[in-house]
Amino acid sequence: QPPRGVGRAARVLTVLGIDIGPDLCGVARVQVESIGRSRLTWSGLLSFEDVFEEVERAAVGLVAIECPEEVHQGLVRLRGAAALRSASQHIGDCKRIAGRVEGLLMARKLAYETTTARIWRAALCGRAAATDAQVKTALTLRCEMGKTNNHVRDAVGVAIWAGMRAGRERRTA
């Protein structure tokens, strides 16, 4: 057996990351290597109906879904109570869409993980409340992405998080 790190092939897991939105979802297909590098192979903004089609046709080993968990308090301070009601409705819509995607994944017997932005951002960025700029910096160190918007970046982030988590579980199993 060769020494650690010499002559060992990296295992690659293809993960479909989804950042759920009520109108458009950020979606990214990422190849996550067991040695920590990742490669973005496809990304885009899709309607949630198109997300279902992508899940059905994508040949991936794992699907990772970011679900919203809370209303951003900064939004409420800036825009008031009407913004709170609107944001709460937005989160409810996103949770319903995530539930439908989850149902499809269970019906197709596909492996999936769900998480929140706070969890994957803490793991990849070192801060649960990382800003979009901090997320971009952290992801750029792990994956060559080119120019993307924040929804696609979140889809890349949740995919890398899930792939790294799955890789750790395979190594310890």
Side-chain angles (χ1 to χ4, degrees):
Q1 181 166 330
R4 287 176 62 115
V6 177
R8 293 179 189 259
R11 289 183 300 251
V12 177
L13 176 64
T14 302
V15 183
L16 183 68
I18 304 170
D19 175 32
I20 298 290
D23 301 316
L24 293 175
C25 301
V27 182
R29 196 175 310 123
V30 181
Q31 292 179 331
V32 182
E33 292 185 7
S34 59
I35 57 175
R37 290 190 303 249
S38 300
R39 186 168 74 87
L40 177 64
T41 60
W42 176 86
S43 67
L45 290 171
L46 300 177
S47 69
F48 87 93
E49 291 90 1
D50 291 337
V51 168
F52 291 121
E53 289 180 27
E54 183 61 28
V55 165
E56 288 196 357
R57 77 169 168 255
V60 297
L62 179 64
V63 177
I65 305 167
E66 179 195 299
C67 299
E69 63 178 327
E70 63 188 20
V71 175
H72 295 287
Q73 293 306 312
L75 176 72
V76 176
R77 280 192 299 276
L78 286 174
R79 300 195 181 128
L84 176 60
R85 284 189 298 278
S86 175
S88 296
Q89 179 67 40
H90 169 86
I91 288 173
D93 291 347
C94 290
K95 286 184 176 182
R96 280 189 288 285
I97 293 166
R100 290 183 61 191
V101 172
E102 210 171 328
L104 173 66
L105 295 168
M106 287 191 300
R108 300 281 187 266
K109 296 183 173 41
L110 295 172
Y112 71 94
E113 287 260 7
T114 60
T115 190
T116 63
R118 294 181 64 78
I119 291 171
W120 73 257
R121 286 178 179 213
L124 297 183
C125 305
R127 297 185 64 220
T131 65
D132 286 336
Q134 290 166 330
V135 168
K136 183 178 181 180
T137 299
L139 294 180
T140 301
L141 294 173
R142 290 178 170 80
C143 182
E144 204 171 303
M145 290 190 302
K147 188 172 181 149
T148 60
N149 70 26
N150 59 333
H151 297 294
V152 169
R153 275 195 301 275
D154 283 357
V156 170
V158 75
I160 292 172
W161 170 84
M164 289 171 54
R165 189 172 147 84
R168 279 193 302 275
E169 288 174 3
R170 280 197 306 265
R171 284 194 296 274
T172 58

